[in-house]
Amino acid sequence: MSTSSKTPSSIGVAPWKPIFLTHLSKMSSPEFVLSSLHPSTDPSSPTPYVPRARTCIYRGMWAELPENKHSSAPQNEKVYETDLPTFTTDVRMAKVPEIFASCQGHGEPEQSQGSGGGGPVEAVFWVKEVMTQWRIRGEAYIVGPDIEEAGGGSSGVRAVKHKIGERMRVVKEEGKQGWSWEKEVTAHFGNLTPGMRGSFKNPAPGSPVSVPPEKGLELGQQVNDLHDEIARSNFRVCIIRPEEVEQVDLSVPDKARRWKYTFVGPNGGEIGEWNKEELWP
């Protein structure tokens, strides 16, 4: 395990995190809209990127995966806490190369089969149960099967471990050496239902139905093997590293309120701090 060294005394939980998690707990399904930047193929386009958005499912904060009594996957000890939302995706989905192509320095599109990325994204949660919108802006990093490569791995692996690691707060010193990125990814896979795991053995997303899929790829499969070769080769965990979070409370229409939290980095502490400012809604 390679992350920045933090001590419990330097822990600073993001001020928005507790209420954000309380709000998500009220949702029947923690869905959100994720926007990313797609390289434009139009040479006449005034911008090199065009927006793309899709609905995703929040899977928990990185290193704080919720326990699942139906999962047989081994889990890491609760050594770290973070303010980094996660979701899972198929490496064949367009969002993966978008996250690589739009980043600065750590994720050329041709490297998108492995770990890396760092492209800008925005995640928007509408929690109707409390009439509150959450908007999270930051960078997205992909964790793939190469995350524990010997020798430190690729530049993408190193970027993930550095950028994500520096936002992981140590809450239990003993156990740090046994904490594993690979085990965390497998635990994410195990937390999915067999049918959802089977979706990673679907025909390539977006490919023409007129073209027969490769052997082993078909709709409706159930996967119980946590190390199924095909499913795991396509499975990825995506971690959002927030830089700015906005909360808009519309529960009382004529007294709506809005707050913006901005990450300002280390300021005398090891993890970094958040500025909070109230705005007109």
Side-chain angles (χ1 to χ4, degrees):
M1 166 62 195
S2 174
T3 65
S4 302
S5 175
K6 311 295 187 298
T7 61
S9 61
S10 70
I11 292 172
V13 177
W16 52 268
K17 180 182 176 181
I19 189 170
F20 174 70
L21 294 182
T22 296
H23 285 183
L24 292 196
S25 71
K26 299 179 184 300
M27 300 177 71
S28 58
S29 177
E31 298 170 357
F32 67 96
V33 174
L34 178 79
S35 296
S36 56
L37 296 176
H38 187 89
S40 175
T41 57
D42 181 359
S44 64
S45 174
T47 60
Y49 295 97
V50 291
R52 290 289 186 269
R54 72 285 289 168
T55 302
C56 298
I57 302 292
Y58 167 81
R59 299 296 182 185
M61 294 294 180
W62 175 249
E64 298 183 51
L65 190 65
E67 292 186 8
N68 182 346
K69 64 181 181 180
H70 300 295
S71 173
S72 60
Q75 292 202 354
N76 282 311
E77 289 189 64
K78 303 300 181 183
V79 174
Y80 297 98
E81 289 182 351
T82 74
D83 312 313
L84 311 175
T86 66
F87 62 94
T88 57
T89 189
D90 191 311
V91 72
R92 301 169 297 171
M93 294 284 193
K95 68 174 80 65
V96 175
E98 289 168 1
I99 287 169
F100 275 78
S102 59
C103 81
Q104 295 185 351
H106 303 299
E108 292 75 8
E110 61 270 18
Q111 296 179 349
S112 63
Q113 290 298 305
S115 300
V121 296
E122 182 172 82
V124 179
F125 296 77
W126 170 241
V127 189
K128 185 176 182 179
E129 292 78 0
V130 290
M131 297 297 288
T132 299
Q133 175 181 274
W134 289 90
R135 188 184 298 271
I136 300 176
R137 303 184 185 98
E139 300 171 341
Y141 290 88
I142 304 293
V143 186
D146 61 340
I147 193 65
E148 297 285 13
E149 275 186 353
S154 66
S155 60
V157 167
R158 294 193 297 273
V160 170
K161 289 189 172 181
H162 172 67
K163 291 293 188 177
I164 299 304
E166 66 183 7
R167 298 276 286 268
M168 294 168 65
R169 299 182 298 273
V170 177
V171 293
K172 183 181 178 184
E173 285 290 338
E174 59 273 20
K176 278 176 59 179
Q177 297 306 313
W179 196 94
S180 162
W181 292 77
E182 184 177 31
K183 182 184 287 186
E184 195 72 9
V185 172
T186 298
H188 270 270
F189 188 70
N191 262 22
L192 303 178
T193 64
M196 186 63 198
R197 294 177 210 150
S199 70
F200 296 96
K201 299 180 72 171
N202 283 350
S207 60
V209 173
S210 59
V211 179
E214 296 179 16
K215 183 179 180 180
L217 302 181
E218 59 183 60
L219 295 177
Q221 298 190 66
Q222 301 278 314
V223 170
N224 294 300
D225 180 3
L226 295 178
H227 301 284
D228 182 278
E229 183 177 358
I230 296 176
R232 289 300 300 271
S233 69
N234 291 325
F235 177 75
R236 299 290 185 273
V237 175
C238 188
I239 307 170
I240 300 175
R241 187 179 189 268
E243 298 297 335
E244 188 175 280
V245 176
E246 286 195 17
Q247 174 192 1
V248 181
D249 184 346
L250 302 175
S251 57
V252 182
D254 59 344
K255 296 181 180 179
R257 302 185 70 182
R258 177 178 179 180
W259 297 270
K260 180 172 75 173
Y261 304 86
T262 305
F263 186 73
V264 295
N267 184 17
E270 294 186 25
I271 286 289
E273 298 179 354
W274 290 84
N275 281 342
K276 180 181 179 180
E277 180 181 18
E278 184 162 9
L279 310 173
W280 289 111

